[in-house]
Amino acid sequence: MPVRIPAARRSETAIFGMAGVASLAPFYMMLPGAEERVAAQTARWAPRWERSISRVAAPAERFTQRAEPRVARTIKKIDDKLPLEKMALNVDRRIKRGIVRMGGTP
């Protein structure tokens, strides 16, 4: 019996497409004349992108202003709970002791 592979969802297709673009973009930019082609396309499409972005920018900015205090509080809680400075000093001490043990000077 053949194995049935489910159809890809829209999100999966979009993610695979973005991964392909991101992985092939450096090779595209190595081709001769790529910068000129990108500049021409940017000049052509930039006005449309700016019109589209203007519809999204204001709601996104409001959302960020609402979410920022909660995110800041959460980060502060995490920073207070984690002994990062103590851990960093211990790692530094261990590295220095290892160098001294091997016959070097820290």
Side-chain angles (χ1 to χ4, degrees):
M1 185 177 260
V3 176
R4 295 185 185 212
I5 300 173
R9 288 176 269 168
R10 285 186 193 175
S11 60
E12 293 170 334
T13 306
I15 289 170
F16 281 123
M18 287 186 284
V21 167
S23 62
L24 295 174
F27 295 114
Y28 177 76
M29 293 306 286
M30 284 188 241
L31 295 173
E35 290 185 28
E36 291 81 15
R37 288 193 299 271
V38 170
Q41 288 297 319
T42 302
R44 178 179 176 189
W45 287 95
R48 295 181 190 180
W49 291 338
E50 288 177 11
R51 280 197 304 271
S52 298
I53 289 295
S54 65
R55 280 183 252 154
V56 177
E61 190 175 336
R62 283 194 304 271
F63 172 77
T64 336
Q65 288 174 347
R66 267 197 332 256
E68 193 270 334
R70 284 181 278 167
V71 172
R73 278 196 308 269
T74 305
I75 290 174
K76 187 172 180 342
K77 283 181 191 175
I78 291 172
D79 281 345
D80 291 343
K81 287 181 183 177
L82 294 176
L84 296 177
E85 186 176 351
K86 183 179 176 184
M87 288 169 52
L89 291 172
N90 285 338
V91 169
D92 182 54
R93 192 176 316 119
R94 280 190 228 125
I95 290 171
K96 286 180 180 173
R97 284 182 186 164
I99 292 172
V100 169
R101 196 175 323 133
M102 296 302 285
T105 57

